[in-house]
Amino acid sequence: MKIDTIGVQAFIAIAESGSFQTAAESLFLSQAGITRRLQNLEEYLGVKLIERTTRSVALTRVGEDFLPHAKRLLGELASSLGEIRDTGKLKRGSVTIACVPTVGVRFLPRIIQAYSAKYPDNRIKILDHTSAGVSSAVLQREAEFGITIAGSHHAELSSVPLLEDDFVLICRDDHPLSERTQLSWKELEPYSLISIGQFSGNRPLLDRALEGQNLALQSVYEVQRVSTALGLVAEGVGAAVLPRLALQSDAYPRIRVLSLVDPVIARGLVLIARKTAEFSPAAGALYQMVRESTERG
């Protein structure tokens, strides 16, 4: 059904002013123009709204009943259009993003704080998934964009490099290696390690990087989440090789972080989105802040 908002506007102006001339001037129309708009509305509705004589203008019974509804209709329309305009200008709205869990520990918080300070009315939903889960969420439009481990991605996704995150040894302060600041992978061989399972995007990356290194690492424990590995390390169960971003500053006072060399292994983190994506104003603002955060170093 086509709603004749132009005719409704003309009807309200005539009803409130009691004059076709005054109503026409208020809408910057000629008398013929406003008369035509009213006639089009009456023909569409199939009723007479205004009785016009040479001396006066009066609402019909139907016109009197319709006037408050007409005002409410245009008022609600103006309000809705204003909200949409403000959404674009002020970048208001909700944003859903996806990321690997370690990104949410140290990388994202400062960006989200800055975003929330700038757009306090916006709501952010974070889907923390495995690397494959992040890509899936973006492809399925569950998230507007994502932050995940660099690698081969679906053809419909574009990626922008963000930062490099090196793998380190994490152990408790009573571990035999805790006094070291750096060691080689070969020096890990005598010690029990907590490893991350195959469902994590970190595991295949490490396996490929260490292939051919002739190492005999003792992966005594296997977990699926970095947070579980950190908990076990904190309780003194063993040491773990994890991305540096996995450890939140001051979260575990007794945990020590040691750089791993020979070789140095790092994972790239990338910003992904659908190539055909058209971000909402709110999501576009957050996407840009993520990109700029790494450009500033």
Side-chain angles (χ1 to χ4, degrees), residues 50-213:
I50 291 178
E51 292 288 353
R52 181 183 185 185
T53 67
T54 56
R55 295 184 177 181
S56 65
V57 172
L59 294 178
T60 64
R61 182 69 174 270
V62 175
E64 290 177 352
D65 291 339
F66 179 57
L67 182 58
H69 297 291
K71 289 181 176 179
R72 185 172 65 251
L73 171 67
L74 286 192
E76 291 176 352
L77 178 61
S79 177
S80 296
L81 293 176
E83 288 179 5
I84 293 172
R85 181 190 59 201
D86 288 344
T87 295
K89 287 185 176 180
L90 303 178
K91 298 180 174 59
R92 287 178 178 166
S94 299
V95 186
T96 299
I97 66 174
C99 68
V100 289
T102 46
V103 167
V105 174
R106 282 179 56 188
F107 177 71
L108 266 185
R110 59 188 174 87
I111 298 173
I112 289 175
Q113 287 175 328
Y115 179 84
S116 295
K118 193 171 184 180
Y119 309 107
D121 296 327
N122 290 5
R123 178 175 176 269
I124 302 173
K125 182 178 181 181
I126 301 172
L127 307 177
D128 49 339
H129 290 313
T130 62
S131 184
V134 172
S135 297
S136 177
V138 175
L139 280 170
Q140 298 301 319
R141 293 176 171 80
E142 296 169 3
E144 296 197 68
F145 63 88
I147 304 173
T148 188
I149 299 172
S152 59
H153 296 292
H154 195 281
E156 294 180 14
L157 296 177
S158 63
S159 65
V160 178
L162 287 179
L163 70 158
E164 293 288 310
D165 182 24
D166 61 317
F167 285 90
V168 295
L169 182 74
I170 295 179
C171 63
R172 205 166 71 166
D173 58 5
D174 56 357
H175 190 276
L177 296 173
S178 63
E179 298 300 319
R180 301 279 297 274
T181 58
Q182 176 180 292
L183 71 159
S184 68
W185 289 85
K186 191 73 174 176
E187 291 176 283
L188 294 180
E189 289 184 336
Y191 303 99
S192 297
L193 296 176
I194 302 163
S195 64
I196 304 297
Q198 293 289 347
F199 290 111
S200 167
N202 296 312
R203 177 65 177 273
L205 188 155
L206 282 173
D207 289 345
R208 288 192 301 269
L210 293 174
E211 188 176 3
Q213 293 292 322

Side-chain angles (χ1 to χ4, degrees), residues 204-282:
L205 188 155
L206 282 173
D207 289 345
R208 288 192 301 269
L210 293 174
E211 188 176 3
Q213 293 292 322
N214 194 29
L215 294 175
L217 300 179
Q218 299 185 51
S219 295
V220 180
Y221 313 99
E222 182 176 302
V223 298
Q224 299 305 319
R225 294 187 176 275
V226 167
S227 57
T228 306
L230 281 171
L232 293 177
V233 172
E235 292 300 319
V237 174
V241 174
L242 299 174
R244 190 179 294 272
L245 282 179
L247 187 61
Q248 191 172 19
S249 179
D250 301 324
Y252 296 94
R254 296 193 60 185
I255 283 183
R256 301 292 179 263
V257 179
L258 289 66
S259 297
L260 287 169
V261 297
D262 299 328
V264 173
I265 302 174
R267 60 176 188 168
L269 294 174
V270 295
L271 189 58
I272 62 170
R274 287 178 293 107
K275 292 178 179 177
T276 58
E278 293 185 7
F279 294 138
S280 65

Side-chain angles (χ1 to χ4, degrees), residues 4 7 33 35-46:
D4 186 6
T35 299
R36 186 167 55 253
R37 290 188 177 187
L38 177 64
Q39 289 172 342
N40 289 340
L41 177 63
E42 290 178 328
E43 288 176 7
Y44 174 74
L45 296 175

